[in-house]
Amino acid sequence: MPRVALILLVVALSLAGCADAPPPTVPAPTVPTADTRVSPPPSAVTQDRPLAADPAQMATDLVADESALRDPAAPNSVLAAAAHRQQAAYRILGRHPEWDSLIRPHIPADLREVVDRNIDARRQLSAMGRPKDTLPAWRIVEPRPAQELLGYYREAQSAFGVGWNYLAAINFIETAFGRVAGVSTAGAQGPMQFMPATFAAYGAGGDILAPRDSIMAAGRYLAANGFDRDPDHALYRYNNSQNYVRAVHDYAAVIAAHPLALAGYHRWSVYYNTTSGDMLLPVGYSQDAPVPVSDYTGVYSAPYTPASAEIRISPRSAEILDRLLAARRQTPAAGGAALSAALSQPFLGTAYGADTLVGSQDVPEQLVIDLERVDCFTLADYIEALKRAETRDQFIDALTAVRYQDGLVGFASRRHFFTDWSAGSPPIATDVTADVSADAVTVTKNLNRRDDGGTYLPGLPVTRREVTYIPADRVDGGVLAQLRPGDYVGAYAEDGGLDVTHVGMFLTGPDGPVLRNASSLSKDQQVVDSPFPDYVGTVPGIVVLRPVT
């Protein structure tokens, strides 16, 4: 049985609290239903159009790219750009089921199944593996031409009765049509990822690395496992995962539905899902052994080209940033608790200020850097960005990654909730609440939903999420012993539409543990160190996130 382990395709307001009251609810604008929309002409595609940050615009652009990829007259430059954005959009949309209601009205009826199947395939494959902190020991090479591979798929179909589109889907999922020249962690080899012993039984004496021989062997193997009678069983034998079976069905259906779909997929690149987000492995990438992701950040970490965002920073904030970065450069060896304490200390005494961020369903998002005043969540943003930067440009890139999911500066992609840091992509922190205390309680919340049925943030969907917290009366000495300096602690919200109402950093002070936080209390109105036990006594419970850096 083949053992497949590569799975290339797997791979101005904050609801964190701080403000005295949630924003008012206003009705969302109406949009036409998908049934009333038609696909745009291929001419709507431009070669240099960046990836949109807004889900609705991303969906609209995706429709234009899908249409272009089905146009036999489209020039190669347009096709390459469309396929690149298409792949990037599906990877992002696959990670955000909460956006489904935002994008669906923008998908015309004639493309709805195509979009649905591509997004579902991404989610199925993503469910098969977790992000890795190393890059793989692979070589990335140019694949054989799509027409050549299509001939092999059809030859195998004629010989063994296995649909050519299924063989293409497997070849696509396993190695991006042979782009990956490498051995899986289980020892599988070749374009169709066979274990050598299995290939010896079904390869008819061929070469496991040769595209034709490998594709023919896959046809024999699937036929021997009853593909004609029960495709699900045969595909499951190929890789023991129902997620895999469903993903193959999804891609096979899209490939069969349109003659140019295969050519579009054939233009996709190799992305690898890491703890630092998607990493693009270009042709020419070559590693003999796994290497830490951090060694290649900035080299292979730009798979998307998001639209440039307007940056808002005052001259005074720019001066403060330069001082903070200078201090950061003087402590390059400091890590963990020492770095968290050092980078957060200059913020003590900074004025509290709510609603400093700019963006809403009606107002374009701006990347705001306001270091003259902070709220509890922007304080955490700036500290985490400083950990990752020594220059202004690095700080801007780091703040974008910390504040926004997938590095897309947009209102919908902003991490509005505290737990977005652990649940979002890529994760900024790990939820260690349950690890800190055996008394932790998990509840299911509908984040962004108000008790009256409206939403706290108009234009954003309601997100169903499990939130774990430690009741305040269970935060004892044992819990304190498990907390680490630099952990972020959120005040658990009893409201079912919020996860926390306030955020701060846990640190050890000369008089005991403290919560370094931007306090909106009338007696404070600035960043202060609050005695931790005293603070816990004022909230229902705590949520603990541990930063990944």
Side-chain angles (χ1 to χ4, degrees):
M1 180 180 68
R3 295 292 298 168
V4 185
L6 296 184
I7 310 296
L8 295 182
L9 307 177
V10 172
V11 226
L13 176 67
S14 172
L15 280 185
C18 303
D20 294 329
T25 299
V26 298
T30 58
V31 294
T33 64
D35 292 323
T36 66
R37 300 176 64 85
V38 296
S39 300
S43 59
V45 174
T46 58
Q47 181 178 346
D48 58 352
R49 171 167 47 79
L51 192 68
D54 177 71
Q57 187 61 52
M58 186 183 296
T60 299
D61 291 348
L62 176 60
V63 169
D65 286 330
E66 285 282 4
S67 299
L69 290 166
R70 284 160 175 71
D71 177 16
N76 186 66
S77 58
V78 168
L79 292 174
H84 178 79
R85 284 189 302 265
Q86 175 200 41
Q87 182 181 12
Y90 281 132
R91 290 189 74 87
I92 292 175
L93 294 174
R95 284 196 287 268
H96 294 284
E98 72 277 11
W99 289 358
D100 288 354
S101 62
L102 301 179
I103 70 170
R104 191 141 183 95
H106 301 274
I107 307 299
D110 61 329
L111 284 176
R112 189 180 303 153
E113 182 178 359
V114 169
V115 172
D116 285 348
R117 284 190 175 277
N118 273 289
I119 292 176
D120 183 67
R122 283 296 323 138
R123 291 174 183 169
Q124 299 304 319
L125 294 173
S126 294
M128 295 178 63
R130 297 188 177 188
K132 306 295 191 299
D133 59 5
T134 59
L135 294 177
W138 294 347
R139 286 188 304 113
I140 306 300
V141 300
E142 291 286 357
R144 302 301 303 165
Q147 281 301 115
E148 177 184 329
L149 295 175
L150 178 59
Y152 300 150
Y153 304 144
R154 292 196 180 279
E155 181 182 357
Q157 174 178 275
S158 298
F160 309 113
V162 176
W164 72 269
N165 53 317
Y166 279 90
L167 295 166
I170 292 172
N171 194 193
F172 178 37
I173 291 172
E174 297 302 340
T175 61
F177 301 108
R179 274 185 172 79
V180 172
V183 179
S184 76
T185 55
Q189 301 178 31
M192 301 296 276
Q193 286 292 281
F194 273 100
M195 294 296 288
T198 306
F199 188 83
Y202 294 93
D207 181 356
I208 194 172
L209 301 181
R212 178 188 178 278
D213 294 347
S214 186
I215 291 167
M216 295 296 285
R220 290 189 192 92
Y221 182 84
L222 291 168
N225 281 280
F227 183 88
D228 59 335
R229 302 184 306 275
D230 188 350
D232 286 4
H233 170 75
L235 292 172
Y236 187 83
R237 289 284 296 166
Y238 204 97
N239 189 315
N240 293 346
S241 168
Q242 292 297 342
N243 299 115
Y244 181 84
V245 172
R246 186 162 158 178
V248 172
H249 278 304
D250 282 334
Y251 284 131
V254 175
I255 290 170
H258 197 283
L260 293 179
L262 175 63
Y265 287 146
H266 191 268
R267 294 176 181 275
W268 283 20
S269 301
V270 176
Y271 292 163
Y272 196 71
N273 188 15
T274 79
T275 52
S276 295
D278 282 347
M279 302 289 276
L280 173 63
L281 306 186
V283 171
Y285 169 90
S286 180
Q287 294 297 324
D288 296 326
V291 292
V293 172
S294 58
D295 288 357
Y296 285 92
T297 298
V299 179
Y300 299 138
S301 62
Y304 315 136
T305 305
S308 298
E310 181 179 346
I311 300 173
R312 174 178 288 191
I313 180 171
S314 69
R316 174 62 176 159
S317 286
E319 292 176 5
I320 296 172
L321 177 58
D322 287 342
R323 289 203 304 269
L324 291 171
L325 290 170
R328 172 66 181 92
R329 290 190 292 270
Q330 292 174 4
T331 56
L339 187 59
S340 295
L343 296 180
S344 61
Q345 195 277 333
F347 285 96
L348 286 172
T350 299
Y352 174 85
D355 302 335
T356 60
L357 303 188
V358 176
S360 69
Q361 66 171 345
D362 302 314
V363 177
E365 186 82 6
Q366 295 181 15
L367 181 63
V368 174
I369 304 174
D370 187 344
L371 299 171
E372 298 178 72
R373 56 197 183 108
V374 296
D375 64 22
C376 64
F377 212 41
T378 57
L379 172 64
D381 280 350
Y382 297 137
I383 293 171
E384 283 303 304
L386 284 168
K387 288 182 180 180
R388 298 162 167 79
E390 293 187 1
T391 67
R392 276 199 194 184
D393 287 345
Q394 290 175 355
F395 179 83
I396 290 171
D397 290 343
L399 183 62
T400 300
V402 169
R403 186 174 289 167
Y404 300 96
Q405 300 198 64
D406 296 303
L408 297 172
V409 179
F411 180 65
S413 54
R414 194 198 303 171
R415 301 180 198 255
H416 294 277
F417 297 92
F418 181 50
T419 50
D420 286 344
W421 272 26
S422 58
S425 171
I428 302 303
T430 302
D431 191 331
V432 296
T433 310
D435 299 325
V436 169
S437 173
D439 294 322
V441 177
T442 299
V443 298
T444 300
K445 287 178 171 278
N446 293 305
L447 300 181
N448 198 34
R449 177 176 292 169
R450 300 169 62 102
D451 290 340
D452 61 9
T455 57
Y456 282 113
L457 290 172
L460 291 185
V462 172
T463 301
R464 189 174 178 84
R465 180 174 298 164
E466 289 189 344
V467 176
T468 302
Y469 73 100
I470 305 169
D473 60 1
R474 299 304 179 92
V475 181
D476 54 17
V479 171
L480 294 179
Q482 294 298 315
L483 292 174
R484 297 180 186 173
D487 284 348
Y488 289 97
V489 177
Y492 174 72
E494 293 180 315
D495 186 322
L498 304 174
D499 51 6
V500 302
T501 58
H502 192 63
V503 173
M505 176 185 286
F506 177 83
L507 293 170
T508 53
D511 299 319
V514 298
L515 186 75
R516 184 160 291 171
N517 66 108
S519 173
S520 63
L521 296 177
S522 57
K523 69 181 182 65
D524 296 324
Q525 287 291 305
Q526 62 181 328
V527 177
V528 299
D529 283 344
S530 304
F532 190 76
D534 293 348
Y535 179 79
V536 171
T538 67
V539 299
I542 62 173
V543 178
V544 184
L545 301 187
R546 184 159 292 159
V548 296
T549 56

